Amino acid sequence: MRKRTKHRVPSAVQNLVIVCLIFSALFLLLRTGLVRTEALNQVFSTVSQGTSMVPERTASMQLPVHIAVRTGGECRAWMSETTTGNIFDDFGPLLTEALGSASSESTASEEEFRRALENSCVYFDFTATLPLTLLEHCLGSSGGAPQISARALLLSSGQNSTLVLYAWDQNSDLYYRWSTSVPADNLQTAADKHTGNSAEFAFLSDAPYNTLMPYTLICQDRLVLSELTAATNLDDTAKDTLLTQLEFNIHSTSRYTESNGAEIVGQGTRTLRIAPDGTIFYNGGSDEVPSLLVTHAGEDATLAECLDAAWQTAVTLLTDHTGDALLYLTSAKMDRRGNAEISFGYMVAGYPVALQEDAVRIEIEGNQITGITLHLRSYTASDKTTTLLPVLQAAAAVQSDTPQELFPGYLDDGSELLSPLWLSRS
C-alpha cells in the first residue's frame, strides 16, 4: 500500500502540471489581443480564419445595372437598379435563361446592334466590362455563358419567336449575337409589370444628345437623389480591428508613425500602411496567411474563385465602415499565370460614388491575396434631396473632344457633404 501511495503522488503532481499547462495555453489563446507570440502565430491564424475574416453570412454581391425596355415603340428606363432589385427580379431571369441557352455565336455589326435596340427589347448595362461567365456567377447561375466579355447585353425580339441575345464589349468595341430558347412573349409579360421613366438612347436623339456616347440613356424626367454625408472613421479601435482581421500583432514593436501621419505596421515580410485620409495599403510579402488563401477546387483558383475570396475579404474588412454604401464589382481580370486583380467601387441606392481610384483593389498571386488597397469612407443618405439639372442642360454643358457618357451619381472630392450630380466618362 505504501509503495502504491508513493507512486500516486508523483502521478498526481504530473497530472496537475499538465492541467495547468492546458489552462495556461487556453488562457493565452483567449487573450490573443494581448499575447501574440510567434509561437502562437499558426494557432491564431487557424482561429482567425474562422472568426476574423469570415463573417457568419457574407453580404450578397450586387451589381448596378441600367435597364431599358422598349415595347410598343415606347422606351422606358431605370437608372438606379441593381441585380437584387425588384425590376431585375422580373427581367433578370430572361437574361440568365438566355445566357444558359445561347447558341450559334456570331459577330454582329454596330448597325445590327442598333437596329435591335429599336425592336421590342430589354437592354442591360452593367456599367463595367466583365467576362460573361463571371457575370453569370454573380447572378447565381452556372449555365455555361459564352466565353467573352461585355459591358451591355441586349435581348431583342425582332421577327423571331424567341429572343436574340446581343453583347457589346466596350473595351474592344465588338458586338456578338446568339440564338436563345427564351420565348419572345416573356419579354412583354415582364414589361407589363413595370412603368419606369420615359427615355431614349443618345444615338436615336436629336442635338445635343447625339454628341454623347451612343448608348447613353436620356431620361426626360428630372431625377431626385438624396444628399450624402461622408466621413472617414480611423480611430484606434478601427485600426486594431483591421490589424486583427489581417492577422497582425496589434502590440507589434514594428509599429511606428511617419512624419506625414501615416502609421506603418510590420510583421515578418508583411506590411500595413494606414494613411490619415483613410487609405489602407496591405502588402503580403512572402508570408502565407491562412485567412487570405483562396479556396479553389482545382490546382489553381479560377477567376470566379478569386472573386469570391476578394469579395469576402473586402466585405469583412469594411464591415461597419461604409454606412449606407455598398460595394460593387468594377473590374476583374486574370493573367496567364493565374494572377488576378479584382476592383470594387461604392454605390448608394444604386448610384455610383466616383472616387479618384477604386474603393477597393485586391491582388492575388499563387492562390493567395497578396495586396489590398482600401479607401475607407462611410456614406450616409440624408433626408435632404437634390433635383439634378435637366438632362438637356447637362448634355449641352459637356465639353470634350471625345463623346462622353452622362449618368447620375456622386463625386467624392473629400468633402463631408456630397450633392448628387451628372457624372461623365468617355
Side-chain angles (χ1 to χ4, degrees):
M1 289 293 293
R2 190 172 297 172
K3 291 182 178 179
R4 187 173 301 173
T5 301
K6 289 181 179 179
H7 180 70
R8 286 176 179 171
V9 171
S11 296
V13 172
Q14 184 180 19
N15 291 339
L16 181 60
V17 171
I18 292 173
V19 170
C20 288
L21 288 173
I22 291 174
F23 276 102
S24 177
L26 288 174
F27 175 77
L28 290 176
L29 287 174
L30 291 173
R31 304 284 290 180
T32 50
L34 298 175
V35 182
R36 289 293 306 275
T37 65
E38 293 303 315
L40 288 175
N41 235 7
Q42 186 61 41
V43 177
F44 181 82
S45 296
T46 304
V47 174
S48 69
Q49 186 176 6
T51 58
S52 295
M53 291 299 295
V54 185
E56 291 184 6
R57 181 176 180 83
T58 301
S60 60
M61 188 183 305
Q62 298 184 32
L63 299 177
V65 55
H66 299 165
I67 298 177
V69 175
R70 191 185 304 278
T71 55
E74 180 187 5
C75 183
R76 295 162 290 161
W78 296 264
M79 299 297 289
S80 62
E81 184 63 3
T82 71
T83 51
T84 61
N86 294 331
I87 307 301
F88 193 81
D89 277 348
D90 288 317
F91 291 106
L94 302 180
L95 180 60
T96 53
E97 184 180 351
L99 288 171
S101 65
S103 61
S104 304
E105 178 181 315
S106 61
T107 56
S109 65
E110 181 180 64
E111 290 72 22
E112 180 184 353
F113 185 80
R114 293 187 181 185
R115 286 197 303 271
L117 280 169
E118 298 185 62
N119 297 329
S120 293
C121 65
V122 54
Y123 174 81
F124 304 89
D125 177 3
F126 290 97
T127 74
T129 299
L130 301 171
L132 292 189
T133 52
L134 200 62
L135 175 61
E136 189 177 48
H137 178 74
C138 294
L139 298 179
S141 180
S142 57
Q147 300 291 320
I148 63 119
S149 294
R151 168 177 163 171
L153 295 168
L154 168 67
L155 290 171
S156 181
S157 60
Q159 303 299 318
N160 302 309
S161 59
T162 57
L163 296 175
V164 176
L165 174 64
Y166 290 89
W168 169 48
D169 181 351
Q170 183 183 21
N171 292 346
S172 60
D173 200 28
L174 292 176
Y175 299 85
Y176 301 88
R177 179 187 188 277
W178 298 267
S179 300
T180 78
S181 60
V182 183
D185 292 343
N186 290 2
L187 171 59
Q188 187 65 52
T189 301
D192 288 341
K193 298 179 181 179
H194 305 284
T195 53
N197 295 319
S198 178
E200 191 52 273
F201 291 95
F203 78 92
L204 291 172
S205 305
D206 298 326
Y209 305 124
N210 56 4
T211 61
L212 299 173
M213 290 184 67
Y215 308 122
T216 299
L217 279 166
I218 309 299
C219 293
Q220 297 301 329
D221 294 341
R222 299 283 297 275
L223 297 177
V224 180
L225 281 68
S226 297
E227 293 190 351
L228 304 181
T229 55
T232 300
N233 177 20
L234 257 183
D235 57 21
D236 290 340
T237 299
K239 292 177 183 178
D240 287 350
T241 299
L242 283 170
L243 287 168
T244 302
Q245 289 170 326
L246 291 169
E247 302 194 29
F248 280 88
N249 181 357
I250 61 175
H251 298 289
S252 171
T253 56
S254 298
R255 185 172 182 175
Y256 59 94
T257 302
E258 294 180 331
S259 59
N260 60 6
E263 191 167 353
I264 311 297
V265 184
Q267 186 164 314
T269 62
R270 300 188 300 138
T271 59
L272 186 70
R273 186 177 189 274
I274 305 174
D277 66 353
T279 305
I280 314 295
F281 298 97
Y282 169 79
N283 189 317
S286 59
D287 291 0
E288 182 177 288
V289 181
S291 61
L292 296 179
L293 292 175
V294 178
T295 301
H296 52 99
E299 182 177 351
D300 293 307
T302 63
L303 183 56
E305 290 169 334
C306 288
L307 172 60
D308 288 341
W311 174 254
Q312 176 179 278
T313 299
V315 169
T316 303
L317 292 175
L318 291 173
T319 296
D320 301 326
H321 287 290
T322 59
D324 292 331
L326 296 174
L327 290 175
Y328 71 96
L329 180 65
T330 58
S331 175
K333 50 191 176 184
M334 175 179 281
D335 63 23
R336 294 181 179 179
R337 295 177 296 175
N339 300 326
E341 184 176 288
I342 315 291
S343 299
F344 301 97
Y346 287 125
M347 65 176 174
V348 176
Y351 295 104
V353 179
L355 295 163
Q356 288 187 344
E357 298 180 354
D358 296 308
V360 182
R361 185 174 68 251
I362 292 180
E363 300 168 21
I364 298 173
E365 295 181 14
N367 301 323
Q368 178 170 253
I369 293 173
T370 57
I372 302 173
T373 302
L374 302 175
H375 292 280
L376 221 59
R377 289 286 272 172
S378 175
Y379 303 97
T380 304
S382 70
D383 295 332
K384 185 178 180 180
T385 60
T386 294
T387 301
L388 270 62
L389 277 174
V391 65
L392 177 64
Q393 290 180 236
V398 172
Q399 301 290 329
S400 176
D401 294 333
T402 59
Q404 297 287 303
E405 175 189 2
L406 277 180
F407 56 99
Y410 302 88
L411 175 63
D412 188 349
D413 58 359
S415 302
E416 295 182 358
L417 178 63
L418 307 182
S419 297
L421 73 170
W422 289 104
L423 299 171
S424 65
R425 64 184 171 194
S426 56

